[in-house]
Amino acid sequence: MIIPVILCGGAGSRLWPVSRETHPKPFMRLADGQSLLQKAFMRGAALPGVREVLTVTNLELFFKTKEDFRQISAKGEQAGLPISYVLEPFGRNTAAAVAAAALQVQRTHGDAAVMLILAADHLINDQAAFAAAVAQAQVLAQQGRIVTFGIHPESPETGFGYIQAQGNTVTRFVEKPDFETAKQYLATGGYFWNSGMFCFTAGAILREMAQHCPAILEATQACLKESTAVPVGGGYQVELHAPTFAKVPDDSIDYAVMEKTQAIAMVPCQIGWSDIGSWAAVGELAVADGQGNRVEGHALMHNATGCFVQSAERMVGVVGVSDLIIIDTPDALLVANRNNSQDVKQIYSQLKAQGHESHKLHRTVQRPWGSYTILGEGNGFKIKRIEVKPNAKLSLQMHHHRSEHWIVVSGTAAVQNGDEETMLHTNQSTYIPAGHQHRLHNPGVIDLVMIEVQSGQYLGEDDIVRFSDQYGRV
């Protein structure tokens, strides 16, 4: 058997402003409408011998992950495949994620189960070559080897770590090089990009972690003893116990195990792999015109060459420039030189340091019950469009600093406002004073659409006290 394990997390800071803290890179949609996470799921699920797909992700991203999987898991080869989750309260790097996954796979499938570690935000275009590489890795894994996948380099990239190897034998791991060193690697041969994908049995990786990073393994074991696995469909979900998970040391699986183990092996492969690590890489996915310009969405070009423009809503005019990346979203605009696309993360870091919401949220924010879109805001007011899915229910909550007016645009709203419960229909409204416990429920079979007008001295999203919540957010 083989268990694909998808690691879904990270900020995706190099792909701001589309990637945000609450909408990271794995959830980015490509031109075909599928997210990188969905592609990772289908890639793993399509392999022969898959018993279940296990995903390790942040608790706050759980509902987005489930929704992405729901959209595709009922189709074709994925129909009926058990999907399980390990939910982290916060990030502790990849070593902790792999340890938790391995302990769960050991518990459910035994030491001999082969695990295939996949990143949720990479792209692989050759599924047949990928399946062949995994088949080679399985053979090595069943011999007790810890297998990594090395990508034949196509250019002197400085954004990747490298593996020096001959056949399946690894000589050394190399940190991200400068450009001249990367050129030398390419000319010399025997160097491969480190893909960040791995294959091993549950027993083998736990044995190596016990030898090379015992503190990480022991702390993760202690955390799982305090955590409960809940059956869900044919799989399960484990919400990791936050106080004990906080004690797990923060380290990557590369540093903790891969660069230390004597059991390491590598499968060299050419599978059409990309880590989609910059806007320049995203731009390469689009078709270029005669001047080397690539457009996703709405843009007009005049006397421009080598530019990439992505604009889903507004029309962008590009005149007399070369080698620019222009990414337009409703609340943020990125303009960068294509050769400096790796430095976009510096803008993200500055926004985060300043506490600017655009590092964290989009204008439209997905929630387990639906979504809201900020239509406008100013001194003392904020206007939102709220969509609530059929039979979905917001938490029973209260705000200290703001009051709210709700106007139903379409659908039916069941409203709890203090001690009163009312039903609102199209064109009806209600008022929620600050300090009142309240709850919104869509009892209908179509989406509930409302306009919410907030007023008060403080309108931050953190002004919320939850008393009960069916999504476990209390």
Side-chain angles (χ1 to χ4, degrees):
M1 74 176 79
I2 187 168
I3 311 296
V5 178
I6 301 173
L7 305 186
C8 179
S13 55
R14 290 176 295 176
L15 293 177
W16 182 87
V18 172
S19 180
R20 312 277 175 107
E21 187 175 295
T22 60
H23 185 80
K25 179 181 163 189
F27 300 97
M28 285 181 56
R29 302 278 165 170
L30 299 184
D32 61 4
Q34 290 181 345
S35 69
L36 290 168
L37 175 61
Q38 288 175 325
K39 291 181 180 296
F41 176 88
M42 292 189 293
R43 182 183 313 135
L47 295 170
V50 172
R51 291 289 183 87
E52 71 174 343
V53 175
L54 173 61
T55 299
V56 184
T57 190
N58 188 282
L59 180 62
E60 293 295 321
L61 300 176
F62 181 36
F63 75 93
K64 293 171 73 72
T65 304
K66 282 203 306 182
E67 177 60 22
D68 263 20
F69 288 172
R70 184 197 64 78
Q71 293 174 9
I72 58 175
S73 60
K75 302 175 183 177
E77 296 160 329
Q78 292 81 35
L81 182 66
I83 304 174
S84 298
Y85 303 88
V86 173
L87 305 175
E88 299 178 325
F90 35 76
R92 268 296 178 268
N93 218 318
T94 54
V98 169
L103 289 166
Q104 279 302 123
V105 170
Q106 181 192 52
R107 181 182 299 176
T108 54
H109 298 288
D111 280 340
V114 175
M115 301 170 59
L116 175 66
I117 307 299
L118 300 173
D121 56 0
H122 292 178
L123 188 64
I124 292 174
N125 289 319
D126 192 336
Q127 179 69 24
F130 169 68
V134 171
Q136 292 181 50
Q138 280 183 271
V139 173
L140 293 166
Q142 288 163 344
Q143 297 169 4
R145 308 296 293 277
I146 306 298
V147 186
T148 184
F149 295 81
I151 308 299
H152 286 277
E154 300 171 355
S155 58
E157 289 289 340
T158 60
F160 304 143
Y162 284 70
I163 303 168
Q164 186 180 18
Q166 185 172 5
N168 299 130
T169 302
V170 174
T171 304
R172 62 174 178 148
F173 286 82
V174 185
E175 295 292 334
K176 296 176 182 178
D178 59 31
F179 185 70
E180 290 302 318
T181 304
K183 284 172 61 178
Q184 183 181 346
Y185 290 165
L186 201 65
T188 303
Y191 288 86
F192 301 82
W193 292 336
N194 187 351
S195 70
M197 301 187 299
F198 309 102
C199 187
F200 35 67
T201 65
I205 191 61
L206 292 173
R207 180 181 66 247
E208 295 298 320
M209 296 190 85
Q211 179 180 351
H212 299 293
C213 55
I216 292 175
L217 179 60
E218 290 165 8
T220 307
Q221 288 172 323
C223 175
L224 281 169
K225 286 180 180 178
E226 300 296 326
S227 310
T228 303
V230 179
V232 178
Y236 58 86
Q237 65 188 54
V238 179
E239 185 176 332
L240 296 179
H241 183 249
T244 51
F245 191 62
K247 299 176 183 178
V248 180
D250 186 321
D251 202 358
S252 72
I253 192 66
D254 295 83
Y255 289 138
V257 176
M258 300 300 163
E259 296 184 12
K260 300 175 181 177
T261 178
Q262 297 300 306
I264 192 72
M266 190 196 77
V267 172
C269 50
Q270 292 177 292
I271 54 179
W273 174 88
S274 171
D275 77 336
I276 313 295
S278 68
W279 279 115
V282 175
E284 292 298 319
L285 302 177
V287 177
D289 64 15
Q291 287 71 49
N293 297 309
R294 304 168 191 266
V295 174
E296 291 183 359
H298 309 290
L300 293 176
M301 322 291 283
H302 175 72
N303 194 26
T305 59
C307 294
F308 172 55
V309 182
Q310 186 182 91
S311 179
E313 296 185 10
R314 293 186 292 192
M315 177 61 72
V316 175
V318 182
V319 179
V321 295
S322 299
D323 298 326
L324 288 186
I325 291 170
I326 302 171
I327 310 300
D328 187 45
T329 69
D331 66 334
L333 171 68
L334 171 70
V335 180
N337 186 288
R338 187 174 63 182
N339 296 320
N340 297 98
S341 60
Q342 292 282 348
D343 295 336
V344 172
K345 61 185 177 184
Q346 303 300 332
I347 299 296
Y348 177 92
S349 297
Q350 291 181 49
L351 291 168
K352 188 171 184 177
Q354 294 172 12
H356 197 284
E357 281 203 339
S358 66
H359 91 274
K360 185 174 184 178
L361 300 169
H362 281 280
R363 287 274 179 180
T364 296
V365 178
Q366 303 298 320
R367 287 289 184 250
W369 43 262
S371 66
Y372 69 79
T373 301
I374 299 174
L375 302 178
E377 56 188 316
N379 186 24
F381 78 92
K382 184 183 289 185
I383 304 171
K384 292 181 176 179
R385 182 182 189 272
I386 295 176
E387 292 190 25
V388 185
K389 300 173 185 176
N391 205 35
K393 184 183 296 185
L394 280 67
S395 59
L396 178 63
Q397 58 187 254
M398 181 265 287
H399 310 295
H400 289 292
H401 303 287
R402 73 175 185 248
S403 59
E404 297 174 343
H405 295 262
W406 292 348
I407 304 101
V408 176
V409 176
S410 61
T412 302
V415 178
Q416 179 179 340
N417 186 357
D419 296 328
E420 298 182 1
E421 295 187 9
T422 57
M423 297 289 288
L424 299 179
H425 304 282
T426 302
N427 292 329
Q428 295 182 325
S429 63
T430 191
Y431 169 67
I432 311 291
H436 268 219
Q437 288 191 25
H438 59 280
R439 186 170 220 160
L440 178 63
H441 172 214
N442 177 6
V445 296
I446 62 171
D447 286 351
L448 165 64
V449 180
M450 293 178 24
I451 299 298
E452 176 182 272
V453 180
Q454 301 176 0
S455 58
Q457 296 304 307
Y458 179 74
L459 304 174
E461 295 300 328
D462 56 350
D463 179 21
I464 181 171
V465 179
R466 290 191 175 97
F467 301 98
S468 66
D469 182 68
Q470 67 184 38
Y471 309 106
R473 297 174 297 163
V474 177

